[in-house]
Amino acid sequence: MTDRYILGVEYEVGGQPTATILRALQEELAQYDATADCRAGVLTVRLALCADSPVEAARGVDFVQVSVLRHRPLQPVRMVGYDVVAEDRAGCGRDAEPHVPELAGLAEVAQITGYSKGRVSQLREDLSPYFLQELASGPVYRAAGVRRFAAENPRSSPGVRRSGILLTPLERFLLEALAATAAGVEAPAPAAGHRIVADAIEGVLGHGRQVLLHAQPDGSELAAAFSSLLMHGLVRTRMIYQKEREAMGAGHEEDLVVSLTSKGERHSGIRPRPAAGTRGQEDAQ
């Protein structure tokens, strides 16, 4: 027996599609009474199909897939799920009740990410792409987006407290290299394109914990990365003292002395060198 089914297909897309793209999707799939809308970075396309069973109706996913992939401005795109319901349960055609995605409040976000509710409340800016609505109990997010955030930003290992600051690969490498140098442990091996960090760190000053960083040209990649660490309060700087400059010789006048804040030490995940038993002074050459 042939029945009509409502098929809803959801995609995470690279940006907010224009009204023109949404209208084009509907026109290309007009024979299936298609509707298309996008909220919180998730594109939803619905079709009404005649089929002998829900399984047969699910083949309409292929129709949607072909149409979505035809529009390059939607890229990157990733299908996150679909559902099929009989039309008499879903409503009638375009007047159908909108599909409600899996939602996540503070408790659910804490469970997904492994953070406490208090810590989750500090991640509002990071989770803003997945925000749906503000209720009396707090913000509500799309659960699929929260899982994506958790996968891309895994919580640190036990005993290491990191803040929710998101750093670029270069910023992360710079922070870890500064922390390792200050702690007197082996710095991470330079990744491709990160040799500039290894070349810029010239050693530690005094009794350690302070790193001499070679001055970088304004607008350079490394200067921008270092400015980001300063903005997030992960490091602090000072100029070289006159006595230190005399011991170093020429060529260090514009260099900076960098030390990590307690916040920076936590975020780096590298244990600082203990106060007792430190190495002798390592002045920059």
Side-chain angles (χ1 to χ4, degrees), residues 1 60 66 73 77 90-91 95 115 122 145-146 153 159 178 208 239 257 264 278 285:
M1 178 179 177
V66 170
V77 63
D95 296 327
Y115 288 112
Q122 300 173 3
V146 176
N153 302 275
L178 289 170
M239 300 302 294
V257 179
T278 57
Q285 300 300 318

Side-chain angles (χ1 to χ4, degrees), residues 97-244:
E97 188 71 19
H99 171 65
V100 179
E102 182 184 1
L103 305 179
L106 290 179
E108 289 77 17
V109 174
Q111 183 178 14
I112 293 171
T113 61
Y115 288 112
S116 66
K117 289 184 182 180
R119 184 71 192 89
V120 165
S121 65
Q122 300 173 3
L123 297 176
R124 292 184 66 119
E125 183 176 351
D126 298 322
L127 295 174
S128 61
Y130 318 113
F131 173 80
L132 291 176
Q133 189 174 359
E134 185 75 31
L135 302 178
S137 58
V140 176
Y141 302 95
R142 187 178 291 270
V146 176
R147 290 194 181 92
R148 181 177 180 179
F149 169 83
E152 294 175 350
N153 302 275
R155 191 182 178 196
S156 58
S157 58
V160 178
R161 296 169 49 213
R162 291 189 181 181
S163 66
I165 300 171
L166 299 181
L167 301 177
T168 66
L170 180 58
E171 292 165 359
R172 162 62 55 189
F173 183 80
L174 175 58
L175 178 65
E176 292 178 350
L178 289 170
T181 302
V185 299
E186 184 176 356
H194 293 168
R195 171 56 62 182
I196 54 175
V197 173
D199 292 342
I201 296 178
E202 302 190 66
V204 296
L205 291 177
H207 298 292
R209 304 293 293 279
Q210 293 184 327
V211 181
L212 185 64
L213 185 69
H214 190 65
Q216 301 297 308
D218 291 341
S220 67
E221 186 180 13
L222 187 57
F226 187 70
S227 295
S228 178
L229 299 187
L230 282 170
M231 179 186 67
H232 289 302
L234 301 176
V235 298
R236 55 176 172 264
T237 65
R238 67 170 176 83
M239 300 302 294
I240 302 174
Y241 298 144
Q242 180 64 33
K243 185 176 180 180
E244 294 171 332

